Structures are given as C-alpha cells and as structure tokens.
Amino acid sequence: MTVQLSLQGLNKYYGPVLRGVHAVKDLDMEIRQGDIVALLGSSGCGKTSTLRMVAGFEEVSQGKIILAGREIQALPPVRRNVAMAFEGYSLYPTVTVRENIAFALKAQRESDADVRAKVQDVAEMLEIAGILDRYPSSISGGQQQRASLARALVRKADLYLLDEPMGQLEPQLRTLLRGRIKFYIKERGLTAILVTHDQAEANAMADQIAVMEAGVLQQFASPEQIKTAPANLFTGTFVGEPPMNTFAAKAVTEGDALVLRLEDNVVLRYPATDFAPEVRAAILSRGDVMLGLRPYSVRMSRTGGSPAQVLANQWLGDQTHIAASFAGGTLVLVEHDRADVQVGQSIGIALPADALHIFDPETGRAISHGTEMA
Amino acid sequence: MDTTGPVERVLRGIAISLVILFFMFPIFWILLMSFQTNETILRVPPSMVFEPTLQNYRALITGRLETQTSTLEIRFMSNLYNSFFLSATSVAVGLLLGVPAAYAFARLKFRGSEDIAFTLLSFRFAPPLLVLLPLTIYFQQLGLSNTYGGLIWVYQLIVLPLILWIVRGYFEDIPADVEYAYRIAGHDFWATFWKVSLPLAMPGIAAAGLLAFIFAWNNFIFALVLASADKQPVTVGALAFVTASGIQYGQIAAGIVLSITPTFLLAILAQRYLVEGLSLGAVKG
Ligand SMILES: Nc1ncnc2c1ncn2[C@@H]1O[C@H](COP(=O)(O)OP(=O)(O)OP(=O)(O)O)[C@@H](O)[C@H]1O
Ligand SMILES: [Mg+2]
C-alpha cells in the first residue's frame, strides 16, 4: 500500500523555539492510504497540536509533512486539501446547518443537485437530517459536533482530520455512529486521523493506533499489537481497561529456575523451560525489572499461587472485578463469572509465564511479553 | 421581577420620573430657551410661559444674526457641516486603520503586542491640553494647522483607541475554529477575514463607530486650537454667539439643540448596538 501521509521529525513549540512549550517532539509517522489512525493520549499530550500542524493552522516549528506526495508544511491551509472536524464550536453562526455542511462542496463547484444529495446522505448517516434547516445557535453541542463532522466528511480531500468528533455524544449514539462512520470512510477508501479519548472507539474504528504522551509518540501499531505487545510502560498502563497492574521485582536465578522477588516476600518461580534462553538472559541482565500484569490474564487459584487478600469484589453484570492487596500494592483482576470470594478473604494468585510483561524500570522500555522477546 | 407589588411599582415609577426630570431638565430648559428671545430668557423671575418664536433658528439657518446694534454674519451652518465632515471622515479613517489592527491584536499574538495595544489606549488618558502645545507648533511647521487633514489626523487620538479596543474584544470572541473551518474549506486568509470575521464582528464595529462618532462630534479643544473659523465644528462655533453686544442665549440654545440632535438620534437608533457592543466587547476584552 502507498503512504498517504508522512510526518518527518515534526516539532511544535508554542512561544520561542527551544524555550517555549514543546508540545510535539520529533514525531515520525507514516500513514497508509485508506487507513484510519486513532491518536490516543492523555489531555494536553499534543494531539490537537499535531492535527493543526497538518491542517496548517499552526506553524510547523521543525520537520516535514508530506501528504499524497506533496510537501505541504509551508502551504496555506487552502492549498493542502485536508478536511477537518473540530472539537469545539466551529460552525458559521450566520447560516443554517445545511449551508454549513454544503460550504466546502460549493467551494469545490459541485452542482446543486449533487450538493443536496450528498448533504442529505451524510446528515442521515449522522442522525442530523432533522435539523438541517436550523441555525447553529439553536442546536445542542452534540448536534453541532456532528454537523462539523458532516461538513468534513462530505467533501473530497486527501486526508480527514477528526478531532474528538463524538466527544459530546452519549455512549449509545457513539457506538452506533462509530460503525457507520467507519463504513463511510472505508467504503470510499479515505485516509483519516481520529483523535479520541475513548479506547473502545479507537479499537473499533482504527487500523492503527498512535499513542502519544507529553508530545512524544510512544507507539504506533495495530490495536492488537498495542494490547499484546505494548512498547513501553506508558502504553502498557495507558491502553487497556481496567489498566495493567505494575509491580517492581528483582530477577535472580535459583538453580535452573528464574525467580522474581516482589515486595512482601512474594516469590514467583519459573522453571528454565518457561522462557526462551535469550528472554531469560535479557531479564536477568537487567536485574531490577517492572512487572506488568493485565487484569484479564491474572487467574485466581484456590489451590496455590501467591498469597493475596481480597479488598473488593464487584460484579459488573458481565464480569467480576476483584481488587486484592498483593506484593505491597493493589492487584486488579477480572473473572468472567461471579466469584464467591468475600472481602478480607485470602486467595491465591496464579501468574503464568505468558501473562508477564516485563519492562525496564528506568527507560520504561519493554523487555519481554509473555515468553517472547519484546 | 414579577414579585413586586403595585405600591412598590408606583413608587419605583415616581422615583424613576424624578431622576429623569433631574437629568433631563437642563436639556428641556435649553429646548424652551431656543424658542424665546433674549428678553424673555433673561426675565426675572423666569417663567415657562412665553410666546414661542422661530427667530433663533431662522438666524442660524440664514446665517444672519440681528442684534440691537448691528447685523452679524454667523457660520453656524458651515460649522454644522464641518462637524459632520470631520466626525464622519475621522470615524471612516479610524475604522479603516483600527479594524484590521484590532484583528491583528486579537489573533496574532506577537511579542510586544499587548504593549502596543496599551500604548494606543493610553492616548485616551493623556489630557489633550498636554499634547496641544507641541502639536500646534508641529502643525504650523508641517503646514497642517487649519486643514481638514490635520484635524482628522488629530481626531484619530480620540477615535482610534476606542475602535481598536472595542472591536478587538469582538474579534477575540469569535472562535478561531470558525475561521479555520472556513479556510480549510478552500478559502484564503483574506476571504476568511472578509466573509467570516468581519461580518461576525459587525455589531462591535457598528457600536465602536457610533461611539467614536459621538466622541469626535463632542470634541472641542482640538478644533479650538488647531483650526480657524472656517474649519471649526459647532462645538467651537457656538463661541461666536458671545458677541460685543452681549451673549445671544437664544441662538446658543438653538445651536445646541441643532448640534445635539444628530448624535441624539444616532444614540437612540443604535441603543441596542451600543449596549451590546460595549458590554460584549470592551468588558470581555
Ligand atoms: N496556543 C497555545 N499556546 C501555548 N501553548 C499551547 C497552545 N495550544 C496548546 N498548547 C499547549 O501544548 C500542549 C499540547 O496541547 P494540545 O491542544 O495539542 O493537547 P491535546 O492532546 O489536544 O489535549 P486534549 O486532549 O485536552 O484536547 C499543552 O501543554 C497545551 O497547554
Ligand atoms: Mg485536543
């Protein structure tokens, strides 16, 4: 597949270069034609700044943006051929929702009948066909967002930037719309970047997920890879619900076995055959490691395992979340059925080798996932 | 609001009437004076009963002031025209310069922008008399004294800061994303300014323009010092009624009535704009 958008060494400083806020740091990214990329990260990590640089509303402090083979970072927005749906209030207050959506189409000189049909189409998809003739000031925040999204999706562009396009919608409508929007984008073979705080949305819609933190791209991979092989501690703990449990440990050998010593004298012992030799060597050479445990892969065991004490037991209707005090910290684990354990009860925790994610505690970089090298 | 009883409402009505009477009385009295001769005006004790006459207005409009001893030429109508011309042109120039500047101050945060904007505002704080003496000398040397151009230039001291600060607040209230959305849909910077920013800031621009017009119209000191009779506005021209043979109260009153009428009408017509413009723009900015 061809590369549609390529960001090369992209940097953004607000204020003086090297002294102002460094909002985006050395961002490198290649997005394939026809892909939907979700940009995930905590508030203030530089998602909007990145989109705005691509759209041309913020000057690029350093680096290159190449869209559909053209170097665009120095072009004015009008010549970049990019469409954008905005996070906040962005409709022209003086014209109706319909005219708002039709604006770019008219600028592209499409016939009236075409414009009408396309606007109707996208409005029906986004459930705003009923308010097309109202003015922006008389519709709700969520409706304004969808109108802004419709305005972006309805036109032709080389790239679609969607900045939290469904941030103000209720979960039911989001779930419905994300399916429809994905279909709309895929059907037309469009390339899109979607900023979202909703991991379910990212997983459901995106071909690739880019995780950002403090202006730095942490990982850029498929949703599957992000889940099974987080590149570092941040991605591991940021993506996934409930979040990954982390415990500091010391790796040593006892005879043939690899032993992980946690706090409170918790000792995990793995026979030599559990890990490939190079994984074992990497873990041992590091010595002090950070252990990451996904709540879904931790098992409760009645017969043995490491000791833990139940702090809470919540049945959520389709799964149980159990919190337990373990190795000087708190461990959350998920069971698929109701679990008949009481608060205060002692339980055993089974941590099979393939449930372990091991990270370097200093750099945060992943050393191994399960029994495989990272 | 609806919880007030009838007694309270009546009392409130009376109180408001008293306040209005108190503030409007001088204007009302001037209106009465403008229809009287000097003799009836100066009667002791004063009375509201008199035979109305239009002679004051006639004198102003024909430009001939008859006193007991002589007939004087007066330039009231040309003063009125000067007032119009000076105020309107100053506001037009002020808008032409001030609106783009206000946009720049609102949208482009460059180093020192706040300082420059504040310096411009500080022109409003300086007592005009302080500026006038050096200005008179400069104007004489530059050949600007007693020219419309020079006066319009000086009037920018009055209108420009006002326009700049009110309109800037308005531009700041327009969400930047509205402009971005328009630009990304295939329009350049200028088209966006023209088609989106300017129309959305229109109420503020109108309010600022009107207010600036009224301030320019009411200015006295600049024209008094920098212009001679043929370029002077009504505010200064009214001094001509202080003649050798006495003060022509009737004509002064009629002159005042004629000269406040335009701004008064403007203010009433634009009341909504003014209130909205001032509260939305200047307060937030
Ligand atoms: N115009 C600006 N001037 C100065 N700093 C800014 C400006 N815009 C953003 N920043 C800073 O840059 C950083 C990144 O902001 P950005 O808006 O890109 O975050 P974001 O990831 O979109 O956050 P959110 O999820 O809350 O929308 C933040 O620290 C923010 O404070
Ligand atoms: Mg944002």
Side-chain angles (χ1 to χ4, degrees):
Chain A
M1 274 211 200
T2 53
V3 172
Q4 180 75 352
L5 177 74
S6 161
L7 307 179
Q8 302 177 357
L10 208 57
N11 277 279
K12 178 67 200 174
Y13 295 92
Y14 290 103
V17 171
L18 301 180
R19 279 183 294 131
V21 181
H22 198 173
V24 176
K25 299 174 187 161
D26 292 322
L27 180 59
D28 289 307
M29 206 150 115
E30 291 206 330
I31 296 179
R32 289 171 309 206
Q33 146 69 34
D35 267 7
I36 301 177
V37 171
L39 209 51
L40 213 54
S42 46
S43 185
C45 73
K47 305 182 293 290
T48 298
S49 302
T50 305
L51 290 199
R52 283 173 184 256
M53 279 192 286
V54 175
F57 307 145
E58 286 292 353
E59 213 180 319
V60 172
S61 306
Q62 262 166 37
K64 275 189 196 172
I65 303 173
I66 294 161
L67 176 62
R70 299 183 302 148
E71 203 172 303
I72 60 164
Q73 75 274 5
L75 298 180
V78 55
R79 291 182 42 210
R80 296 192 178 196
N81 199 20
V82 166
M84 182 158 177
F86 292 86
E87 199 175 349
Y89 189 86
S90 71
L91 302 174
Y92 322 124
T94 50
V95 298
T96 61
V97 172
R98 181 191 304 281
E99 288 167 272
N100 261 287
I101 298 174
F103 232 94
L105 288 181
K106 289 198 178 137
Q108 289 176 348
R109 297 178 203 290
E110 303 217 5
S111 79
D112 281 358
D114 268 7
V115 170
R116 244 197 123 68
K118 283 185 182 173
V119 170
Q120 189 65 30
D121 230 37
V122 77
E124 271 166 19
M125 172 186 83
L126 296 174
E127 304 281 334
I128 50 170
I131 53 157
L132 280 178
D133 292 311
R134 306 249 295 265
Y135 282 88
S137 57
S138 73
I139 63 176
S140 76
Q143 290 168 332
Q144 288 181 12
Q145 257 188 345
R146 278 176 283 161
S148 173
L149 178 59
R151 182 171 62 181
L153 288 178
V154 79
R155 56 175 285 222
K156 273 204 189 61
D158 287 335
L159 180 67
Y160 295 77
L161 304 172
L162 315 177
D163 196 354
E164 298 186 40
M166 294 186 278
Q168 295 188 33
L169 305 184
E170 71 271 17
Q172 294 87 332
L173 191 54
R174 271 172 176 244
T175 313
L176 172 72
L177 292 190
R178 73 185 181 214
R180 289 191 190 168
I181 295 168
K182 179 171 184 175
F183 182 74
Y184 183 99
I185 293 177
K186 286 289 170 194
E187 190 183 38
R188 289 163 176 74
L190 313 177
T191 311
I193 303 181
L194 167 80
V195 170
T196 176
H197 282 285
D198 184 342
Q199 300 187 8
E201 194 170 293
N203 282 319
M205 291 181 72
D207 301 295
Q208 300 270 295
I209 294 180
V211 182
M212 274 181 92
E213 173 62 9
V216 178
L217 181 65
Q218 305 288 329
Q219 188 168 8
F220 182 45
S222 68
E224 202 45 42
Q225 272 175 300
I226 299 246
K227 198 170 280 171
T228 56
N232 57 32
L233 208 47
F234 177 81
T235 312
T237 50
F238 187 77
V239 183
E241 187 44 46
M244 180 186 266
N245 302 288
T246 55
F247 296 94
K250 193 166 179 59
V252 291
T253 45
E254 278 181 14
D256 274 351
L258 173 69
V259 170
L260 297 172
R261 290 183 194 281
L262 281 65
E263 264 177 57
D264 272 358
N265 298 321
V266 174
V267 176
L268 307 174
R269 188 165 284 134
Y270 299 94
T273 48
D274 269 10
F275 290 94
E278 75 270 20
V279 176
R280 190 182 149 98
I283 296 171
L284 284 169
S285 77
R286 183 55 239 181
D288 288 315
V289 295
M290 195 57 101
L291 216 55
L293 306 168
R294 292 261 185 231
Y296 286 94
S297 38
V298 177
R299 293 271 73 89
M300 223 169 33
S301 109
R302 245 140 266 187
T303 51
S306 310
Q309 212 165 32
V310 176
L311 296 171
N313 176 354
Q314 283 180 299
W315 170 244
L316 300 182
D318 56 352
Q319 50 180 246
T320 307
H321 287 191
I322 295 170
S325 69
F326 174 74
T330 303
L331 175 81
V332 174
L333 64 94
V334 174
E335 292 273 307
H336 293 286
D337 300 316
R338 282 177 189 273
D340 58 342
V341 292
Q342 316 302 320
V343 173
Q345 189 179 328
S346 289
I347 53 170
I349 299 292
L351 295 169
D354 57 14
L356 304 183
H357 297 272
I358 293 177
F359 300 94
D360 183 321
E362 264 160 38
T363 62
R365 204 166 298 142
I367 298 172
S368 67
H369 301 295
T371 56
E372 305 283 312
M373 211 54 189
Chain B
M1 271 316 223
D2 288 326
T3 54
T4 48
V7 180
E8 206 173 321
R9 223 173 299 156
V10 169
L11 285 180
R12 186 181 293 173
I14 292 173
I16 290 175
S17 309
L18 283 176
V19 171
I20 291 177
L21 198 68
F22 180 77
F23 283 108
M24 293 303 282
F25 184 75
I27 292 178
F28 175 68
W29 195 250
I30 286 170
L31 191 67
L32 290 185
M33 277 167 69
S34 73
F35 293 106
Q36 302 177 49
T37 59
N38 245 10
E39 293 83 68
T40 52
I41 291 170
L42 295 173
R43 214 159 32 161
V44 182
S47 156
M48 303 247 280
V49 188
F50 59 91
E51 199 169 304
T53 165
L54 285 174
Q55 81 173 58
N56 296 323
Y57 289 100
R58 200 175 306 128
L60 290 179
I61 291 166
T62 57
R64 302 177 64 77
L65 177 56
E66 324 256 352
T67 64
Q68 287 97 326
T69 49
S70 62
T71 302
L72 269 171
E73 289 273 320
I74 49 168
R75 309 170 160 275
F76 183 80
M77 289 319 278
S78 91
N79 287 336
L80 200 60
Y81 165 78
N82 284 342
S83 273
F84 260 117
F85 180 75
L86 285 174
S87 308
T89 320
S90 302
V91 169
V93 172
L95 287 175
L96 223 56
L97 296 173
V99 171
Y103 186 76
F105 283 126
R107 278 286 183 263
L108 319 169
K109 297 288 175 207
F110 46 95
R111 195 182 306 176
S113 62
E114 272 322 301
D115 302 328
I116 299 174
F118 188 77
T119 307
L120 283 167
L121 183 66
S122 70
F123 293 161
R124 295 286 304 149
F125 308 150
L129 278 173
L130 206 72
V131 198
L132 263 172
L133 190 64
L135 212 55
T136 316
I137 298 169
Y138 282 135
F139 265 43
Q140 270 160 8
Q141 291 183 352
L142 292 170
L144 282 173
S145 43
N146 201 30
T147 61
Y148 285 126
L151 280 177
I152 289 165
W153 193 355
V154 176
Y155 272 37
Q156 296 309 310
L157 281 179
I158 309 165
V159 301
L160 203 53
L162 208 64
I163 291 173
L164 195 71
W165 277 77
I166 295 177
V167 176
R168 175 193 177 173
Y170 252 76
F171 279 133
E172 276 171 348
D173 281 353
I174 303 174
D177 283 351
V178 174
E179 293 175 0
Y180 291 150
Y182 195 79
R183 289 183 68 185
I184 209 172
H187 302 88
D188 64 12
F189 177 85
W190 294 108
T192 309
F193 177 69
W194 203 244
K195 287 277 178 52
V196 176
S197 323
L198 217 49
L200 291 182
M202 228 3 141
I205 296 173
L210 282 165
L211 213 63
F213 185 89
I214 293 171
F215 272 65
W217 184 281
N218 289 342
N219 184 263
F220 173 75
I221 195 85
F222 285 139
L224 175 70
V225 177
L226 295 172
S228 57
D230 62 322
K231 302 280 186 329
Q232 279 168 346
V234 276
T235 42
V236 182
L239 286 177
F241 300 121
V242 183
T243 64
S245 57
I247 300 171
Q248 305 302 316
Y249 290 107
Q251 274 103 14
I252 291 182
I256 290 173
V257 170
L258 282 183
S259 69
I260 64 173
T261 306
T263 50
F264 192 68
L265 288 180
L266 266 181
I268 288 179
L269 279 176
Q271 215 175 23
R272 277 184 74 131
Y273 269 154
L274 279 177
V275 174
E276 273 179 17
L278 291 179
S279 54
L280 281 177
V283 175
K284 267 206 73 182

